[in-house]
Amino acid sequence: MAKKIPISLDAMGGDNGAEVVIPGAEIALVRHPDIHFLLYGNEQVIRPLLEKYPRVRDASTVHHCEVSIAMDTKPSQALRQGRWRSSMWRAIEAVKTGEAAVAVSAGNTGALMAMSKFCLRTMANIERPAIAAIWPTMRGESVVLDVGATIGADAQQLIDFAILGGAMARALFGVQRPSVGLLNIGVEEVKGLEEVRTAGRLLRETPLRSLQYAGFVEGDDLGKGTVDVVVTEGFAGNIALKTAEGTAKQIGSYLRSAMNRTFMSKIGYFFAKGAFDLLREKMDPRKVNGGVFLGLNGIVIKSHGGTDAEGYASAIDLAYDMVKNELTHKIAQDLVHYHRGRFAEAAPTSEGDL
């Protein structure tokens, strides 16, 4: 029998909690029968739903938690009220203890990040974790980080993000040396904030076997898929993410309005339905739902709080892929290589250097 991959789920997280989590787990389980779920939440809510989804019931272990973290709870409050007891904390803690390989939650982003940092701690030589998103592009998909873990970043933190994102691209896309670009207001080396320019210079000067530094990229390069990984700090990254989501909804609304405007446009839609279905599939945010918390001693996936079962299943799919492709191991390898290289550069090369 194939070894099961244990995935812990915060069953109470998100706008709709277990009502979305359990059906989402059902969809993911059809695609990945080798998953075993650890469900954390109110057993009185979870058990009746499991009776409707016997496949999930038979592939799950339920852990009762009396406390759940509300979507509007401040991170500091969440830590005080939910540490050790809440469904969110215990789903993360399962990763720390090794009971789960990865945790998934659609809960409050700030609380989830605070609990993840407190419980799992950051990896050696990583000062800040980042949230990485999968970004649909004209070439396929890219990794973009940070999209909201923290505001601001110095040059070294941007380099750390580049290494983290590069490892994720290797795990997800199977690219041996993914291309990495720094998001900037222009591609010229003299443009942008000093931290970004310094990070760019250091990435050019430091040989990295795990990635290829491609220089600065601009906002329109996100959709073009110019590079495999786009690095920025959390303030700009979160604005870019929300802008892209809003634009996708805007275009969808325009198309629906145009197709229903006249009788002839409805006929045109009928004949072009296949093309519009393909466009709808490409623009469906549920297909790329799930942000990965990178830089921690364990993997945590953040699902969109308002997603449906299909979107939550996509977050579980992402969690599954990150485990199967050994994301944490790849990150650890890349960090060791980078810091070993820095140490070698800084080390004296002759007696005259001492």
Side-chain angles (χ1 to χ4, degrees):
M1 182 180 293
K3 184 179 179 181
K4 295 287 186 179
I5 293 180
I7 297 179
S8 61
L9 304 181
D10 170 16
M12 312 311 290
D15 294 344
N16 300 295
E19 294 283 348
V20 163
V21 172
I22 304 303
E26 169 84 6
I27 296 169
L29 198 56
V30 171
R31 297 196 278 247
H32 310 292
D34 55 338
I35 292 177
H36 178 80
F37 291 115
L38 288 77
L39 301 175
Y40 291 89
N42 189 325
E43 198 165 3
Q44 294 181 345
V45 175
I46 296 172
R47 289 291 183 190
L49 284 168
L50 288 178
E51 293 308 310
K52 299 178 183 178
Y53 297 94
R55 190 197 302 266
V56 181
R57 179 197 62 203
D58 295 341
S60 300
T61 304
V62 178
H63 299 270
H64 178 67
C65 304
E66 294 183 357
V67 177
S68 59
I69 303 300
M71 294 298 282
D72 59 352
T73 303
K74 293 181 180 179
S76 56
Q77 266 187 312
L79 279 171
R80 285 196 302 270
Q81 298 170 2
R83 199 186 313 173
W84 320 119
R85 303 185 300 146
S86 66
S87 58
M88 182 182 286
W89 174 276
R90 293 191 60 194
I92 299 166
E93 189 177 39
V95 176
K96 180 180 180 180
T97 61
E99 297 172 78
V102 57
V104 182
S105 174
N108 179 324
T109 304
L112 185 64
M113 177 57 79
M115 286 193 177
S116 297
K117 286 173 66 176
F118 196 92
C119 185
L120 298 175
R121 305 294 181 182
T122 53
M123 301 178 80
N125 297 311
I126 292 293
E127 184 178 341
R128 290 184 182 181
I131 303 176
I134 309 300
W135 204 283
T137 74
M138 294 167 64
R139 291 176 54 234
E141 291 177 334
S142 296
V143 174
V144 179
L145 74 164
D146 176 24
V147 293
T150 53
I151 293 175
D154 61 25
Q156 183 57 55
Q157 287 158 357
L158 290 172
I159 294 170
D160 291 343
F161 292 171
I163 295 169
L164 296 173
M168 180 171 164
R170 287 168 56 211
L172 196 62
F173 308 142
V175 182
Q176 194 61 33
R177 292 189 71 216
S179 56
V180 177
L182 291 172
L183 188 64
N184 202 355
I185 59 171
V187 298
E188 298 86 356
E189 293 180 11
V190 296
K191 286 191 174 180
L193 297 172
E194 182 180 351
E195 292 84 356
V196 177
R197 297 199 308 271
T198 302
R201 176 179 59 79
L202 292 172
L203 283 169
R204 282 194 305 275
E205 295 173 354
T206 307
L208 292 168
R209 67 181 181 186
S210 60
L211 59 86
Q212 305 173 63
Y213 177 59
F216 296 150
V217 295
E218 297 182 81
D220 60 341
D221 289 306
L222 289 167
K224 291 177 184 176
T226 305
V227 291
D228 298 310
V229 180
V230 176
V231 174
T232 185
E233 54 82 35
F235 185 81
N238 191 263
I239 290 175
L241 178 65
K242 297 297 174 57
T243 301
E245 290 175 346
T247 302
K249 291 177 182 177
Q250 183 181 4
I251 293 172
S253 176
Y254 284 166
L255 284 173
R256 285 191 297 272
S257 177
M259 291 301 100
N260 288 302
R261 183 171 299 172
T262 66
F263 178 70
M264 290 304 294
S265 65
K266 291 178 181 178
I267 292 176
Y269 171 76
F270 175 79
F271 285 107
K273 187 176 183 301
F276 282 113
D277 287 345
L278 181 60
L279 178 62
R280 187 182 299 112
E281 179 81 8
K282 288 279 188 183
M283 294 175 60
D284 189 350
R286 300 176 303 172
K287 302 298 182 183
V288 289
N289 179 48
V292 186
F293 288 8
L294 297 178
L296 300 170
N297 291 303
I299 308 171
V300 177
I301 306 293
K302 169 65 175 77
S303 167
H304 197 293
T307 195
D308 61 9
E310 184 62 48
Y312 197 86
S314 294
I316 296 175
D317 291 341
L318 180 60
Y320 179 90
D321 289 341
M322 294 297 91
V323 174
K324 290 288 281 188
N325 292 294
E326 300 180 319
L327 172 63
T328 303
H329 178 66
K330 284 180 169 63
I331 290 174
Q333 280 185 321
D334 292 352
L335 287 172
V336 166
H337 181 262
Y338 169 70
H339 287 285
R340 188 179 292 160
R342 286 186 65 198
F343 178 78
E345 288 180 4
T349 55
S350 66
E351 288 186 8
D353 294 326
L354 295 175

